[in-house]
Amino acid sequence: MSDHSHSVVAHQFDDMPQQKETTTLAMWAFLLTEVMFFGGLFGAYTMLRNRFPEAFAVASNSLDLTLGAVNTAVLIGSSLTMALAVHAAQTNKRRQIILFLVLTIALGGVFLGIKAVEYNHKFHEHHVPGAGFHFEEVPDWVDVSRLNYDLEKATETFFSLYFAMTGLHALHMVVGVGIMLVMIWMAYRNRFSEHYYGPVEISGLYWHFVDIVWIFLFPLLYLLGRHFLLEGGH
């Protein structure tokens, strides 16, 4: 093992393998808490969707499916560039580490930009929960008189969950971009080698987790209404 690899072993660890194993375990423990955190939102969504199926369907149909699909493709691409950055770190290719991390940040920026456009649309359509909320897009197949709840209030519930879930996800994306900037700085300072690439690998775990969360959010939020119609409103 090189002198450089010895220099990055923290004093509380005996050697590099122990340090790598411990930091990886710590990240998995952190991600487990994140799973439980998002799990509460997914649980609330499931319960309320079963309570207000028609309202959730019509509200879902008002979302821009094209922008949601593009953002899904963008995040899948960012997972690829992140994986390539990790591989570059493992093989001690400094320029490639920086290149793929920059691409990951760029794709993350595209995602956040598209999400900002979607939020802007919802603001102008008065679909942001609050005093100014208003929802008029009620299709012919919804017989409001037969519902045992206030359709507009129920659609506001959907958008409350939409902004909470996508907003929290976007916040995680911003944190991820900050982490990537730190990794770029460390790569620029030549802190990584084939013996020491743990920070990039750990950062990759976090980024992949954020991407996976979106893979669940996309169908729940954007495809729900279309699935509801295909099943005949059930």
Side-chain angles (χ1 to χ4, degrees), residues 74-93:
V74 167
L75 277 195
I76 292 174
S78 75
S79 276
L80 173 61
T81 56
M82 188 67 241
L84 292 172
V86 173
H87 181 264
Q90 292 171 338
T91 53
N92 196 22
K93 296 178 180 177

Side-chain angles (χ1 to χ4, degrees), residues 201-221:
E201 190 172 54
I202 296 301
S203 301
L205 287 176
Y206 175 87
W207 192 265
H208 293 316
F209 168 78
V210 175
D211 290 353
I212 289 171
V213 169
W214 179 259
I215 295 301
F216 284 96
L217 288 177
F218 175 65
L220 287 177
L221 297 174

Side-chain angles (χ1 to χ4, degrees), residues 119-128:
Y119 281 1
N120 184 61
H121 288 169
K122 290 300 156 192
F123 176 80
H124 288 291
E125 293 169 353
H126 302 286
H127 290 172
V128 179

Side-chain angles (χ1 to χ4, degrees), residues 151-168:
L151 183 69
E152 186 169 70
K153 287 294 184 182
T155 57
E156 186 175 11
T157 299
F158 172 89
F159 283 111
S160 295
L161 285 169
Y162 167 78
F163 281 106
M165 298 170 86
T166 60
L168 185 62

Side-chain angles (χ1 to χ4, degrees), residues 175-191:
V175 172
V177 168
I179 293 172
M180 297 309 137
L181 289 172
V182 173
M183 293 302 104
I184 290 174
W185 178 81
M186 293 180 68
Y188 179 77
R189 297 294 297 272
N190 202 27
R191 296 291 182 86

Side-chain angles (χ1 to χ4, degrees), residues 7 18 21 24 35 71 77 147 184 195 224 233:
S7 66
Q18 184 188 55
E21 181 179 350
T24 301
V35 168
N71 256 353
L147 300 180
I184 290 174
H195 302 296
L224 164 69

Side-chain angles (χ1 to χ4, degrees), residues 51-62:
R51 175 70 180 84
F52 310 117
E54 298 86 358
F56 271 49
V58 296
S60 173
N61 276 336
S62 73

